Amino acid sequence: MTHPVAKAALAPLGVAGAAAVGAAVWGMGVERYLFTVRYHALRVLPKGSDAVRVLHVSDAHMAPWQHRKQDWMERLVELSPDLVVNTGDNLGHRDGLTGIRTAFAPLRGVPGLVVHGSNDYQEPSPRNPLRYFLGPSGTLPEYKHLDVDALDRFFTDDLGWSILDDTAVSLEVKGLRITAFGVNDAHRNWDKPELIPPVLSGLDAADLTLGVMHAPYRRTLDRFVDLGADLLLAGHTHGGQVRVPFSRKALVSNCDLPLDQARGLSAWTRDGRAVPLNVSAGLGHSIYAPVRFACRPEATLLTLLPR
């Protein structure tokens, strides 16, 4: 027979245990499938311009069996984007390209820009999630290579999108000249932003300049503001993936970005210049950490308007 005092002491533990189980069931069994579109409007275009709809997608971490995610992504074309920006980590399995083809095929012919994250090159591996509280995850000493060349052929040859790793491009969207530049994954120190200025110098003057990256490290954000970006787009953080409900701050960002900027629209200020920054919480997760809590998987539709 349990002593009444012992019962009273155990009761809070029972409640906490039930809450933990309920949160795990919700995060693993429900919320990670609650795909949503986040909407923002920004006045960054020249006066008199038509609105431009930019679809920002990131961190699909696609595995071939994730049909609910693929089906939802297929319907993003219904948002009628004028430009797609993909900020990397598309693959989450060695056969993930099958699902990526399904998900993005309806966007064929819509102009698009892509930068890579490390999970476009390497398969995920099991990790202790508590390590993220110690700082950004480090470089893996050994990993299994993914077929990033096949992924890029799909993006460039099939969809007609441009790869922006450490380079810049100029394109016309709804009568506007848009310059975009980007870097390879700064999280793995694969970025080479010094290669961008010579390319920029050979491009025509732009009505809008985009800075595109996978991992929003401070050094990259600062460099992109210095290069003249009017809008910054990034992914990588998963919005923290597991958050305290109703809190503005993520628990972790897996980079040196301030925790209150790990998801959604904010501004990055450099030498007195504030540039809009959108960090997508992404659409997926590692197959070894299949959970989302208080951080629904998302894509973002940015409607760019005249100043």
Side-chain angles (χ1 to χ4, degrees):
M1 185 177 195
T2 305
H3 193 279
V5 174
K7 283 186 176 181
L10 291 173
L13 295 177
V15 172
V21 170
V25 170
W26 173 264
M28 299 178 72
V30 180
E31 186 168 336
R32 69 186 177 112
Y33 300 114
L34 297 181
F35 304 104
T36 189
V37 178
R38 189 182 293 270
Y39 296 88
H40 296 294
L42 291 167
R43 294 195 175 275
V44 294
L45 300 180
K47 291 182 179 180
S49 304
D50 291 333
V52 174
R53 296 160 68 86
V54 177
L55 176 62
H56 181 190
V57 292
S58 195
D59 296 88
H61 291 279
M62 188 68 74
W65 60 80
Q66 294 173 338
H67 297 293
R68 275 186 277 189
K69 179 161 56 182
Q70 294 164 28
D71 293 345
W72 188 86
M73 291 176 67
E74 278 188 286
R75 297 195 296 275
L76 288 172
V77 70
E78 297 170 8
L79 297 173
S80 301
D82 302 304
L83 176 67
V84 181
V85 178
N86 180 328
T87 48
D89 272 6
N90 292 275
L91 303 178
H93 184 274
R94 67 182 61 185
D95 297 320
L97 181 55
T98 302
I100 288 295
R101 289 181 182 276
T102 298
F104 286 124
L107 292 166
R108 183 179 294 109
V110 178
L113 306 166
V114 183
V115 292
H116 290 118
S118 63
N119 284 121
D120 293 317
Y121 299 90
Q122 62 193 50
E123 275 195 85
S125 60
R127 304 186 180 189
N128 179 355
L130 297 179
R131 290 182 57 190
Y132 290 103
F133 289 95
L134 302 177
S137 56
T139 302
L140 299 178
E142 295 181 5
Y143 58 83
K144 297 179 181 178
H145 291 269
L146 297 173
D147 195 346
V148 67
D149 292 334
L151 177 70
D152 287 355
R153 285 194 298 272
F154 169 65
F155 285 144
T156 59
D157 298 346
D158 196 347
L159 298 185
W161 295 358
S162 299
I163 307 296
L164 276 183
D165 290 352
D166 307 312
T167 191
V169 299
S170 178
L171 65 162
E172 185 173 317
V173 178
K174 297 189 73 172
L176 293 173
R177 177 58 50 184
I178 296 178
T179 289
F181 53 80
V183 287
N184 206 334
D185 191 3
H187 186 60
R188 298 290 183 226
N189 293 312
W190 295 340
D191 54 317
K192 297 179 180 178
E194 66 274 9
L195 300 180
I196 297 173
V199 182
L200 279 177
S201 66
L203 300 179
D204 293 335
D207 298 303
L208 177 73
T209 301
L210 304 179
V212 184
M213 70 208 81
H214 175 65
Y217 276 83
R218 294 169 186 257
R219 70 176 191 273
T220 307
L221 295 166
D222 287 346
R223 185 67 179 267
F224 280 15
V225 172
D226 291 344
L227 287 173
D230 299 308
L231 174 61
L232 301 162
L233 300 165
H236 175 70
T237 66
H238 296 193
Q241 192 164 322
V242 173
R243 299 174 66 105
V244 176
F246 311 113
S247 173
R248 290 183 64 249
K249 288 187 176 182
L251 297 174
V252 296
S253 66
N254 201 22
C255 62
D256 63 359
L257 185 71
L259 295 178
D260 61 351
Q261 293 184 276
R263 180 181 68 180
L265 186 66
S266 63
W268 188 255
T269 302
R270 164 81 163 167
D271 293 335
R273 181 173 180 238
V275 177
L277 164 65
N278 190 68
V279 178
S280 173
L283 286 160
H285 48 71
S286 168
I287 57 176
Y288 298 105
V291 62
R292 286 265 185 169
F293 187 80
C295 189
R296 290 173 63 168
E298 67 176 42
T300 308
L301 187 70
L302 297 163
T303 301
L304 309 185
L305 301 168
R307 298 186 183 93

